[in-house]
Amino acid sequence: MNYTLHQLRVFYEVVQYRSITRAAEALHLSQPAVSIQLRNFQQQFDAPLTELVNRRLYITDLGREVAELARQILDSADLLEHRASTKGEELTGRLTISVVSTGKYVMPYFLRPFLAQHPRVRLSLDVTNRQRVVESLRANEVDFSLVSILPERLSLHSLTLLPNILFLVGHPEVDCGPNADLSTVLEQRPLIFREVGSGTRQVTEQYLYQRGLPLSPQLELVSNEAVKQAVMAGLGVSIMPLIGIRNELELGQLSILPVPGLPVRTEWQITWLQDKTLTPTAAAFLEYLRLRGEEIVAQSFAYLAAYPPE
């Protein structure tokens, strides 16, 4: 075989994103350049590593095995590069993080100063649904994952970054009165759910179950943004994390509906496998979060303490 580290990195990113286009964006390459490298790499195997079905890219069993080996080789290469750096204090290597969709409002604030301090660190940030985040964590495809509810049946370490506060919100014209409960509100407006498996969906269902309310959604949407737009359009109400609706609340496009038992609180946590050996880059990022996490929360998320507004 005659593969290169560059080809391994290209193939690994394609597997991570399940998309040549998104891999190209992450690698800062053109789509044709990624396609050429992927084709040259696949030609060295007797069986296909990927399959294109109805314009969707699928990874074969062999492809997944090769991707795991590629990850190990790339981690070793990053470690070697770090050790051989001409400046002992200069951090190099790759940092891979998977983030649940609403976490896109959280993770960049913790990454920006770290990457500014270590410009040679290469970041791979996958913002996706919770199922994919858990899969990437279980398969040891990432250094860390950001979640608001820890996955079950996985042996994990975790570090809490900040609270995740969820309110019932609706269109500003919705007025449920000061003492209404959710059942009263739902007599006039349907409750909009996130998709099955999302952390927000789990919180919503637990809240309903504790109050003996029906768990069957009339409306179910697959992203926080979609739910937000639906609520703003007056299609219904929803239990939503404050982290993703702050601007709309301040602009008067959404309003918090006061009902008993809300807000609900969970925690945004960075998590990683218990038996995982962290690369120097990942270990440095974790230490940075432990040292500066509270400072970043105070600077960028102080508004969390101001809700509900008096």
Side-chain angles (χ1 to χ4, degrees):
M1 298 188 72
N2 189 28
Y3 60 83
T4 66
L5 281 177
H6 181 59
Q7 288 175 340
L8 285 177
R9 197 174 302 281
V10 166
F11 176 68
Y12 180 76
E13 294 297 334
V14 169
V15 171
Q16 287 290 96
Y17 288 104
R18 306 293 202 274
S19 165
I20 292 175
T21 301
R22 293 184 63 191
E25 292 172 354
L27 291 164
H28 304 290
L29 297 172
S30 68
Q31 186 172 332
V34 169
S35 296
I36 290 171
Q37 292 299 323
L38 180 63
R39 183 173 63 249
N40 291 342
F41 184 65
Q42 288 195 109
Q43 286 176 349
Q44 301 181 64
F45 296 85
D46 294 332
L49 305 179
T50 63
E51 294 177 333
L52 195 62
V53 180
N54 293 329
R55 303 182 67 179
R56 290 189 61 183
L57 188 70
Y58 293 88
I59 312 302
T60 66
D61 290 342
L62 175 61
R64 284 189 287 270
E65 293 178 15
V66 172
E68 173 57 20
L69 292 171
R71 183 193 64 78
Q72 296 175 22
I73 294 171
L74 291 169
D75 283 348
S76 297
D78 288 340
L79 179 60
L80 182 62
E81 181 181 354
H82 176 73
R83 293 285 187 262
S85 176
T86 56
K87 296 181 180 180
E89 73 280 2
E90 188 173 7
L91 191 65
T92 62
R94 184 166 50 97
L95 179 65
T96 59
I97 306 175
S98 60
V99 177
V100 295
S101 58
T102 310
K104 66 187 175 185
Y105 302 108
V106 175
M107 202 69 244
Y109 292 93
F110 292 91
L111 285 167
R112 182 183 60 80
F114 177 78
L115 295 176
Q117 183 179 345
H118 303 289
R120 294 189 63 192
V121 168
R122 299 186 301 275
L123 172 67
S124 176
L125 182 67
D126 186 19
V127 181
T128 183
N129 60 58
R130 190 173 188 276
Q131 180 180 352
R132 173 61 190 148
V133 167
V134 174
E135 288 175 356
S136 65
L137 189 61
R138 179 182 292 110
N140 195 28
E141 295 174 351
V142 294
D143 295 315
F144 303 106
S145 292
L146 179 70
V147 295
S148 60
I149 299 176
L150 288 176
E152 298 178 350
R153 294 184 291 277
L154 282 179
S155 298
L156 301 170
H157 291 297
S158 64
L159 175 67
T160 298
L161 298 182
L162 72 160
N164 183 36
I165 308 171
L166 299 98
F167 290 94
L168 180 69
V169 295
H171 188 278
E173 293 179 358
V174 176
D175 183 8
C176 63
N179 300 312
D181 58 21
L182 184 56
S183 61
T184 302
V185 176
L186 298 185
E187 290 174 0
Q188 302 176 6
R189 297 282 196 282
L191 183 64
I192 302 173
F193 284 67
R194 281 288 304 273
E195 78 282 5
V196 173
S198 79
T200 301
R201 174 66 171 261
Q202 288 181 250
V203 169
T204 300
E205 290 185 339
Q206 183 178 24
Y207 177 85
L208 295 174
Y209 176 77
Q210 291 172 346
R211 285 154 182 79
L213 295 172
L215 302 180
S216 301
Q218 293 177 266
L219 290 172
E220 181 179 304
L221 302 176
V222 296
S223 72
N224 193 71
E225 288 299 316
V227 173
K228 183 164 57 177
Q229 293 300 322
V231 175
M232 289 167 56
L235 291 180
V237 298
S238 188
I239 296 174
M240 302 190 70
L242 174 60
I243 203 85
I245 57 174
R246 176 197 178 194
N247 290 338
E248 288 74 17
L249 289 171
E250 294 184 349
L251 292 171
Q253 297 171 327
L254 291 173
S255 63
I256 293 174
L257 305 178
V259 297
L262 288 169
V264 176
R265 295 173 183 266
T266 61
E267 295 177 325
W268 286 110
Q269 300 178 73
I270 199 84
T271 186
W272 63 103
L273 293 174
Q274 261 186 21
D275 56 356
K276 183 176 182 64
T277 301
L278 296 178
T279 65
T281 301
F285 181 62
L286 183 60
E287 182 65 14
Y288 159 83
L289 292 177
R290 286 173 171 152
L291 292 175
R292 295 201 54 199
E294 291 184 2
E295 175 189 343
I296 294 169
V297 171
Q299 291 175 347
S300 300
F301 300 98
Y303 65 88
L304 292 173
Y307 283 86
E310 298 183 3

